[in-house]
Amino acid sequence: SELLLTSVNAWSKRHSDECILSLALPIEFIDPLQKLPEIADKQQFRFLWDLSPGLSFSAAGHCQHLDLSGPKRFANAQRFSDETFDQLVDVSLNCPKHALPRILFAFSFFDQIKDADKDLEESFSLQAVLPRWQLSAEYGNTWLRLNAIAHHLSDVREIVENLWMMSKKIVQKSRAFDFLEPNCIAVQAVTEDWQSSYREGLLQGIELVNAGKLEKLVLAARQLILLKEPLDPLGMLVRLRNQQTHSCRFLWQRNSEELFFGASPERLISLNKSDLIIDALAGTAMKNDDGHQLMNSAKDLREHKFVVNAIIKQLCNLGIEATYSQKPQIFRQGHLIHLYTPITAHTPGVMPLGLVEALHPTPAVAGLPLKEAMGWLRALEPFDRRSYAAPIGWIDSACNAEFRVAIRSGYISRNNLDLIAGAGLVKGSSIDGELQEVALKLAVLADQLDL
């Protein structure tokens, strides 16, 4: 076949132990979310990025990967990305942008996991993966990709055969496949009263901002839930497509027992060639507010302005001149309403993970001043955030990238489900108001459960 000949020629020119062959072919339209279980058959690692009907792709298995912790994680992640793409030979024929090979990244909020949580499987502050399989679709156009190292000519033939076999398998099964149904998950128990423990942190946090020691602090709460049986959240993510239409549904599963998932409304960066878009998203409407009160709330407007100004300042430090509106918009996401300011810029020559490092964490998920706020989060939150509110996303071989802030998220470990949400404390914040805001945010995923 033409693909085999092209692959053999490409491998012959770049033949080395470090050569990664990347092959892709078009297939009839199928849903990457629905097909994730099949491309992940016998693979520990699973990934989903779903903006359907826009870009949606699932991935499984490791071709290359990097796990580490420490303060240089963003620089090491960029180095891993550059070196991996340098080794990669893409032999796809007329491949569209949405089907380019991607390296996937999941960071933790802090660069080190708390000592008390070091026994967790997901204890790295950076995980980076070039997946073995990648299935991508955008507005009905679907491609299947396989990344693999080829040491010998026989490996090239095997890679091409594996790609064809997988394409036939998933297309044939899709014609008689029972689609994932949105599921209601049975709960054994809610094992912690999150409101009582969160209230204690709120008392101290509000005191800090009222005393002027902090301008803002975004304090998170955790709700612990014991499920009656292990949960695969793909059915929940199907439902969230309808309930959280402007979100990015995501899944990061490192092994068969630990996974992280959610529906994030917030872009940390979206980089298309040199065109950058950032979401400044801060300020949440109270229950029964259609957005009118929010747009006139001095407290929420001040909270939102902190976020916009901090992002603009970080971009200026990188020599990037940004464009944005002085007045925020209303952003509706299911039953939640936020203040929203899109920020755009032209960024030639800027590396994606350099941007991520400069912007993480924004005041929307941490606070101001940043160093002091991060210290207080460590002191007041009785759990480690792990990947909550941290960057999760991808870079493709053309240096396009998108990273989301991993909010509206949950962890699953065997039969345990942890939901985490936070609220921004500034002058004018009240304990009852912040409790209500966090309850609304926890409900994004909690409403999927049979409580």
Side-chain angles (χ1 to χ4, degrees), residues 164-231:
W164 277 107
M165 289 171 62
M166 178 65 82
S167 68
K168 291 179 180 179
K169 172 186 172 183
I170 60 178
V171 169
Q172 288 173 355
K173 284 198 173 183
S174 70
R175 293 168 181 158
F177 184 65
D178 292 329
F179 274 60
L180 288 167
E181 292 293 335
N183 49 2
C184 199
I185 300 94
V187 171
Q188 184 79 22
V190 178
T191 58
E192 180 181 283
D193 179 10
W194 67 267
Q195 294 197 27
S196 61
S197 58
Y198 190 49
R199 185 182 292 270
E200 295 176 11
L202 287 175
L203 280 168
Q204 297 180 66
I206 290 174
E207 284 181 7
L208 289 167
V209 296
N210 286 340
K213 295 181 179 179
L214 295 172
E215 291 182 276
K216 180 179 180 181
L217 182 67
V218 184
L219 202 62
R222 180 176 65 175
Q223 185 174 22
L224 303 177
I225 297 170
L226 179 63
L227 304 172
K228 289 186 177 179
E229 57 187 28
L231 167 66

Coordinates of all heavy atoms in Angstrom, one line a residue, residues 164-231:
W164 N -3.9 -0.5 10.4 CA -5.1 -1.0 9.5 C -6.0 -1.9 10.3 O -7.2 -1.7 10.2 CB -4.6 -1.7 8.3 CG -4.2 -0.8 7.2 CD1 -2.9 -0.5 6.8 CD2 -5.0 -0.1 6.3 NE1 -2.9 0.4 5.7 CE2 -4.2 0.6 5.4 CE3 -6.4 0.0 6.3 CZ2 -4.7 1.5 4.5 CZ3 -6.9 0.9 5.3 CH2 -6.1 1.6 4.4
M165 N -5.5 -2.8 11.2 CA -6.3 -3.7 11.9 C -7.2 -2.9 12.9 O -8.4 -3.2 13.1 CB -5.4 -4.7 12.7 CG -4.8 -5.7 11.7 SD -3.6 -6.8 12.5 CE -4.6 -7.6 13.8
M166 N -6.6 -1.9 13.6 CA -7.3 -1.1 14.6 C -8.4 -0.3 13.9 O -9.5 -0.2 14.4 CB -6.4 -0.2 15.4 CG -7.1 0.7 16.4 SD -7.9 -0.2 17.7 CE -6.5 -0.5 18.8
S167 N -8.1 0.3 12.7 CA -9.1 1.1 12.0 C -10.3 0.2 11.6 O -11.5 0.7 11.8 CB -8.5 1.7 10.8 OG -8.1 0.8 9.8
K168 N -10.1 -1.0 11.2 CA -11.2 -1.9 10.8 C -12.0 -2.3 12.0 O -13.2 -2.4 12.0 CB -10.6 -3.1 10.1 CG -10.1 -2.8 8.7 CD -9.5 -4.1 8.0 CE -9.0 -3.8 6.7 NZ -8.4 -5.0 6.0
K169 N -11.3 -2.6 13.1 CA -11.9 -3.0 14.4 C -12.9 -1.9 14.9 O -14.1 -2.2 15.1 CB -10.9 -3.3 15.4 CG -11.4 -3.6 16.8 CD -10.3 -3.7 17.8 CE -10.9 -3.8 19.2 NZ -9.8 -3.9 20.2
I170 N -12.4 -0.7 15.0 CA -13.3 0.3 15.6 C -14.4 0.8 14.7 O -15.5 1.1 15.1 CB -12.5 1.5 16.1 CG1 -11.7 2.2 15.0 CG2 -11.5 1.1 17.2 CD1 -11.0 3.5 15.4
V171 N -14.2 0.7 13.3 CA -15.2 1.1 12.4 C -16.3 0.0 12.4 O -17.5 0.3 12.4 CB -14.7 1.4 11.0 CG1 -15.8 1.5 10.0 CG2 -13.8 2.6 11.0
Q172 N -15.9 -1.3 12.3 CA -16.9 -2.3 12.3 C -17.7 -2.4 13.5 O -18.9 -2.5 13.5 CB -16.2 -3.7 12.0 CG -15.6 -3.9 10.6 CD -14.7 -5.1 10.5 OE1 -14.5 -5.8 11.5 NE2 -14.3 -5.4 9.3
K173 N -17.1 -2.2 14.7 CA -17.9 -2.3 15.9 C -18.8 -1.1 16.1 O -19.8 -1.2 16.7 CB -16.9 -2.3 17.1 CG -16.3 -3.7 17.3 CD -15.7 -3.8 18.7 CE -15.2 -5.3 19.0 NZ -14.7 -5.4 20.3
S174 N -18.4 0.1 15.5 CA -19.3 1.2 15.6 C -20.6 1.1 14.9 O -21.6 1.7 15.3 CB -18.6 2.5 15.1 OG -18.5 2.4 13.6
R175 N -20.7 0.2 14.0 CA -21.9 0.0 13.2 C -22.9 -0.8 14.0 O -24.1 -0.8 13.7 CB -21.6 -0.7 11.9 CG -20.8 0.1 10.9 CD -20.3 -0.6 9.8 NE -19.5 0.2 8.9 CZ -18.6 -0.2 8.0 NH1 -18.4 -1.5 7.9 NH2 -18.0 0.6 7.2
A176 N -22.4 -1.5 15.1 CA -23.4 -2.3 15.9 C -23.1 -2.0 17.4 O -23.3 -2.9 18.2 CB -23.2 -3.8 15.6
F177 N -22.6 -0.8 17.7 CA -22.2 -0.5 19.0 C -23.3 0.2 19.8 O -23.9 1.1 19.3 CB -20.9 0.3 19.0 CG -20.3 0.6 20.3 CD1 -19.8 -0.4 21.1 CD2 -20.3 1.9 20.8 CE1 -19.2 -0.2 22.3 CE2 -19.7 2.2 22.1 CZ -19.2 1.1 22.8
D178 N -23.5 -0.3 21.0 CA -24.4 0.4 21.9 C -23.7 1.6 22.5 O -22.8 1.4 23.3 CB -24.9 -0.6 23.0 CG -25.8 -1.6 22.5 OD1 -26.5 -1.4 21.5 OD2 -25.8 -2.8 23.0
F179 N -24.1 2.8 22.2 CA -23.4 3.9 22.7 C -23.5 4.1 24.2 O -24.5 3.7 24.8 CB -24.0 5.2 22.0 CG -23.4 5.5 20.7 CD1 -23.5 4.6 19.6 CD2 -22.7 6.7 20.5 CE1 -22.9 4.8 18.4 CE2 -22.1 6.9 19.2 CZ -22.2 6.0 18.2
L180 N -22.4 4.7 24.7 CA -22.4 4.9 26.2 C -23.6 5.7 26.6 O -23.9 6.8 26.0 CB -21.1 5.7 26.5 CG -19.8 4.9 26.4 CD1 -18.7 5.9 26.5 CD2 -19.7 3.9 27.6
E181 N -24.3 5.2 27.6 CA -25.5 6.0 28.1 C -25.0 6.8 29.3 O -24.3 6.3 30.1 CB -26.6 5.0 28.5 CG -27.2 4.2 27.3 CD -28.0 5.2 26.4 OE1 -28.4 6.2 26.9 OE2 -28.1 4.9 25.2
P182 N -25.5 8.0 29.4 CA -25.3 8.8 30.6 C -25.8 8.0 31.8 O -26.9 7.5 31.8 CB -26.1 10.0 30.4 CG -26.2 10.2 28.9 CD -26.3 8.8 28.4
N183 N -24.9 7.8 32.8 CA -25.3 6.9 33.9 C -25.5 7.7 35.2 O -25.0 8.8 35.4 CB -24.2 5.9 34.1 CG -22.8 6.5 34.2 OD1 -22.6 7.7 34.1 ND2 -21.8 5.7 34.3
C184 N -26.2 7.1 36.1 CA -26.4 7.7 37.4 C -25.7 6.7 38.4 O -26.0 5.5 38.4 CB -27.9 7.8 37.8 SG -28.2 8.9 39.1
I185 N -24.8 7.2 39.1 CA -23.9 6.3 39.9 C -24.4 6.2 41.3 O -24.6 7.2 42.0 CB -22.4 6.9 39.8 CG1 -21.9 6.9 38.4 CG2 -21.5 6.0 40.6 CD1 -22.1 8.3 37.7
A186 N -24.4 5.0 41.8 CA -24.9 4.7 43.2 C -23.8 5.1 44.2 O -22.7 4.7 44.0 CB -25.3 3.3 43.3
V187 N -24.2 5.8 45.2 CA -23.3 6.2 46.3 C -23.5 5.4 47.5 O -24.6 5.2 48.0 CB -23.4 7.7 46.5 CG1 -22.7 8.2 47.8 CG2 -23.0 8.5 45.3
Q188 N -22.4 4.9 48.1 CA -22.4 4.2 49.4 C -22.6 5.2 50.5 O -23.4 5.0 51.4 CB -21.1 3.4 49.5 CG -21.1 2.5 50.8 CD -21.9 1.2 50.6 OE1 -22.1 0.8 49.5 NE2 -22.4 0.6 51.7
A189 N -21.7 6.2 50.5 CA -21.8 7.2 51.6 C -21.0 8.5 51.2 O -20.1 8.4 50.4 CB -21.2 6.6 52.8
V190 N -21.4 9.6 51.7 CA -20.7 10.8 51.6 C -19.9 10.9 52.9 O -20.5 11.0 54.0 CB -21.6 12.1 51.5 CG1 -20.7 13.3 51.5 CG2 -22.4 12.0 50.2
T191 N -18.6 10.7 52.8 CA -17.8 10.4 54.0 C -17.2 11.6 54.8 O -16.5 11.4 55.7 CB -16.6 9.5 53.6 OG1 -15.8 10.1 52.6 CG2 -17.1 8.1 53.1
E192 N -17.5 12.8 54.3 CA -17.0 13.9 55.0 C -18.0 15.1 54.8 O -18.5 15.4 53.7 CB -15.6 14.3 54.5 CG -15.0 15.5 55.2 CD -13.7 15.9 54.7 OE1 -12.7 15.2 55.0 OE2 -13.5 16.8 53.9
D193 N -18.3 15.8 55.9 CA -19.0 17.1 55.8 C -18.1 18.2 55.4 O -17.4 18.8 56.2 CB -19.7 17.4 57.2 CG -20.5 18.7 57.1 OD1 -20.7 19.2 56.0 OD2 -20.9 19.1 58.2
W194 N -18.0 18.4 54.1 CA -17.0 19.4 53.6 C -17.3 20.8 54.1 O -16.4 21.6 54.3 CB -17.0 19.4 52.1 CG -18.2 19.9 51.4 CD1 -19.3 19.2 51.0 CD2 -18.5 21.3 51.1 NE1 -20.2 20.0 50.4 CE2 -19.8 21.3 50.4 CE3 -17.9 22.5 51.2 CZ2 -20.4 22.4 50.0 CZ3 -18.5 23.6 50.8 CH2 -19.7 23.6 50.1
Q195 N -18.6 21.1 54.4 CA -18.9 22.5 54.8 C -18.3 22.9 56.1 O -17.9 24.0 56.3 CB -20.4 22.7 54.8 CG -21.0 22.6 53.4 CD -22.4 23.2 53.3 OE1 -22.8 24.1 54.1 NE2 -23.2 22.7 52.4
S196 N -18.3 22.0 57.1 CA -17.8 22.3 58.4 C -16.3 22.5 58.4 O -15.8 23.5 59.0 CB -18.2 21.2 59.4 OG -17.6 20.0 59.1
S197 N -15.6 21.7 57.7 CA -14.1 21.9 57.6 C -13.8 23.1 56.7 O -12.8 23.8 57.0 CB -13.4 20.6 57.0 OG -14.0 20.3 55.7
Y198 N -14.6 23.3 55.7 CA -14.3 24.5 54.8 C -14.6 25.8 55.6 O -13.9 26.8 55.4 CB -15.1 24.4 53.6 CG -14.8 25.4 52.5 CD1 -13.5 25.6 52.1 CD2 -15.8 26.1 51.9 CE1 -13.2 26.5 51.1 CE2 -15.5 27.0 50.9 CZ -14.2 27.2 50.5 OH -13.9 28.1 49.5
R199 N -15.6 25.8 56.4 CA -16.0 27.0 57.1 C -14.8 27.5 58.0 O -14.6 28.7 58.1 CB -17.2 26.7 58.0 CG -17.7 27.9 58.8 CD -18.9 27.5 59.6 NE -20.1 27.1 58.8 CZ -21.0 28.0 58.4 NH1 -20.9 29.3 58.7 NH2 -22.0 27.5 57.7
E200 N -14.1 26.6 58.6 CA -12.9 26.9 59.4 C -11.9 27.7 58.6 O -11.3 28.7 59.0 CB -12.3 25.7 60.1 CG -13.2 25.0 61.0 CD -12.6 23.7 61.6 OE1 -11.4 23.5 61.3 OE2 -13.3 23.0 62.2
G201 N -11.6 27.1 57.4 CA -10.6 27.8 56.5 C -11.1 29.2 56.0 O -10.3 30.1 55.9
L202 N -12.4 29.3 55.7 CA -13.0 30.5 55.3 C -12.8 31.6 56.4 O -12.5 32.8 56.0 CB -14.5 30.4 55.0 CG -14.8 29.6 53.7 CD1 -16.3 29.4 53.6 CD2 -14.3 30.4 52.5
L203 N -13.0 31.3 57.6 CA -12.9 32.2 58.7 C -11.5 32.9 58.7 O -11.3 34.1 58.7 CB -13.1 31.6 60.1 CG -14.6 31.3 60.5 CD1 -14.6 30.4 61.7 CD2 -15.2 32.7 60.8
Q204 N -10.5 32.0 58.6 CA -9.1 32.5 58.5 C -8.8 33.3 57.2 O -8.1 34.3 57.2 CB -8.1 31.4 58.7 CG -8.2 30.7 60.1 CD -7.3 29.5 60.2 OE1 -6.0 29.7 60.3 NE2 -7.8 28.3 60.3
G205 N -9.3 32.7 56.1 CA -9.0 33.4 54.8 C -9.6 34.7 54.7 O -9.0 35.7 54.2
I206 N -10.9 34.9 55.2 CA -11.5 36.2 55.1 C -10.8 37.2 56.1 O -10.7 38.4 55.7 CB -13.0 36.0 55.4 CG1 -13.7 35.3 54.3 CG2 -13.7 37.4 55.7 CD1 -15.2 35.0 54.5
E207 N -10.4 36.7 57.2 CA -9.6 37.6 58.1 C -8.3 38.1 57.4 O -8.0 39.3 57.6 CB -9.2 36.8 59.4 CG -10.4 36.6 60.4 CD -9.9 35.9 61.6 OE1 -8.7 35.6 61.7 OE2 -10.8 35.5 62.4
L208 N -7.7 37.2 56.7 CA -6.4 37.6 56.0 C -6.7 38.7 54.9 O -5.9 39.7 54.8 CB -5.8 36.4 55.3 CG -5.1 35.4 56.2 CD1 -4.8 34.1 55.4 CD2 -3.8 35.9 56.8
V209 N -7.8 38.6 54.2 CA -8.0 39.6 53.1 C -8.6 40.9 53.8 O -8.3 42.0 53.3 CB -9.0 39.1 52.0 CG1 -8.3 38.0 51.3 CG2 -10.3 38.7 52.6
N210 N -9.4 40.8 54.8 CA -9.9 42.0 55.5 C -8.8 42.7 56.2 O -8.9 44.0 56.3 CB -11.0 41.6 56.4 CG -12.3 41.2 55.7 OD1 -12.5 41.5 54.6 ND2 -13.2 40.5 56.4
A211 N -7.8 42.0 56.7 CA -6.7 42.7 57.3 C -5.7 43.3 56.4 O -4.7 43.9 56.8 CB -6.0 41.7 58.3
G212 N -5.9 43.0 55.1 CA -4.9 43.5 54.1 C -3.7 42.7 53.9 O -2.8 43.1 53.2
K213 N -3.6 41.5 54.5 CA -2.4 40.7 54.3 C -2.4 40.0 53.0 O -1.3 39.6 52.4 CB -2.4 39.6 55.5 CG -2.2 40.2 56.8 CD -2.1 39.2 57.9 CE -1.9 39.8 59.3 NZ -1.8 38.8 60.4
L214 N -3.6 39.8 52.4 CA -3.7 39.3 51.0 C -4.8 40.1 50.3 O -5.8 40.6 50.9 CB -4.2 37.8 51.1 CG -3.2 36.8 51.6 CD1 -3.9 35.4 51.7 CD2 -2.0 36.7 50.8
E215 N -4.6 40.3 49.0 CA -5.6 40.9 48.2 C -6.7 39.9 47.9 O -7.9 40.3 47.8 CB -5.1 41.5 46.9 CG -4.2 42.7 47.2 CD -3.6 43.3 45.9 OE1 -2.6 42.7 45.4 OE2 -4.2 44.2 45.3
K216 N -6.3 38.7 47.6 CA -7.2 37.6 47.3 C -6.7 36.3 47.7 O -5.4 36.1 47.6 CB -7.5 37.7 45.7 CG -8.4 36.6 45.3 CD -8.7 36.7 43.8 CE -9.7 35.6 43.3 NZ -9.9 35.6 41.9
L217 N -7.5 35.3 48.0 CA -7.2 34.0 48.3 C -8.3 33.1 47.8 O -9.4 33.2 48.1 CB -7.0 33.8 49.8 CG -6.5 32.4 50.2 CD1 -5.1 32.1 49.7 CD2 -6.6 32.2 51.7
V218 N -7.9 32.1 47.0 CA -8.9 31.1 46.4 C -8.7 29.8 47.2 O -7.8 29.0 46.9 CB -8.6 30.9 44.9 CG1 -9.7 30.0 44.4 CG2 -8.6 32.2 44.2
L219 N -9.6 29.6 48.1 CA -9.6 28.5 49.0 C -10.5 27.4 48.5 O -11.6 27.6 48.1 CB -10.1 28.9 50.4 CG -9.6 28.1 51.6 CD1 -8.1 28.1 51.7 CD2 -10.3 28.6 52.9
A220 N -9.9 26.2 48.5 CA -10.7 25.0 47.9 C -11.2 24.1 49.0 O -10.7 24.0 50.1 CB -9.7 24.2 47.0
A221 N -12.3 23.4 48.7 CA -13.0 22.5 49.6 C -13.0 21.1 48.8 O -13.1 21.1 47.6 CB -14.4 22.9 49.9
R222 N -13.0 20.0 49.6 CA -13.0 18.7 49.1 C -14.2 17.9 49.6 O -14.4 17.9 50.8 CB -11.7 17.9 49.4 CG -11.7 16.5 48.8 CD -10.4 15.8 49.0 NE -10.1 15.6 50.5 CZ -9.1 15.0 50.9 NH1 -8.2 14.5 50.1 NH2 -8.9 14.8 52.2
Q223 N -15.0 17.3 48.7 CA -16.1 16.4 49.1 C -15.7 15.0 48.8 O -15.4 14.6 47.7 CB -17.4 16.8 48.4 CG -18.6 16.0 48.8 CD -19.9 16.5 48.1 OE1 -19.8 17.1 47.1 NE2 -21.0 16.2 48.7
L224 N -15.7 14.2 49.9 CA -15.3 12.8 49.7 C -16.5 11.9 49.6 O -17.4 11.9 50.5 CB -14.4 12.3 50.9 CG -13.2 13.2 51.2 CD1 -12.4 12.7 52.4 CD2 -12.2 13.1 50.0
I225 N -16.5 11.0 48.6 CA -17.7 10.2 48.3 C -17.2 8.7 48.1 O -16.3 8.5 47.4 CB -18.5 10.7 47.1 CG1 -19.0 12.1 47.3 CG2 -19.6 9.7 46.7 CD1 -19.5 12.7 46.1
L226 N -17.9 7.8 48.8 CA -17.6 6.4 48.7 C -18.7 5.8 47.7 O -19.9 5.9 48.0 CB -17.7 5.7 50.0 CG -17.4 4.2 50.0 CD1 -16.0 3.8 49.5 CD2 -17.6 3.6 51.4
L227 N -18.3 5.2 46.6 CA -19.2 4.6 45.6 C -19.4 3.2 45.9 O -18.6 2.5 46.6 CB -18.6 4.8 44.2 CG -18.2 6.2 43.8 CD1 -17.4 6.2 42.5 CD2 -19.4 7.1 43.7
K228 N -20.5 2.7 45.5 CA -20.9 1.3 45.7 C -20.0 0.3 44.8 O -19.9 -0.8 45.2 CB -22.4 1.0 45.4 CG -23.3 1.6 46.5 CD -24.7 1.3 46.3 CE -25.6 1.8 47.4 NZ -27.0 1.5 47.2
E229 N -19.5 0.9 43.7 CA -18.7 0.1 42.8 C -17.7 1.0 42.1 O -18.0 2.2 42.0 CB -19.5 -0.8 41.9 CG -20.5 0.0 41.0 CD -21.4 -0.8 40.2 OE1 -21.7 -1.9 40.6 OE2 -21.8 -0.4 39.1
P230 N -16.6 0.5 41.5 CA -15.7 1.3 40.8 C -16.4 2.0 39.6 O -17.4 1.5 39.0 CB -14.6 0.4 40.3 CG -14.7 -0.8 41.3 CD -16.1 -0.9 41.7
L231 N -16.0 3.2 39.3 CA -16.7 4.0 38.3 C -15.8 4.3 37.1 O -14.6 4.8 37.3 CB -17.1 5.4 39.0 CG -17.6 6.5 38.0 CD1 -18.8 6.1 37.3 CD2 -17.8 7.8 38.8

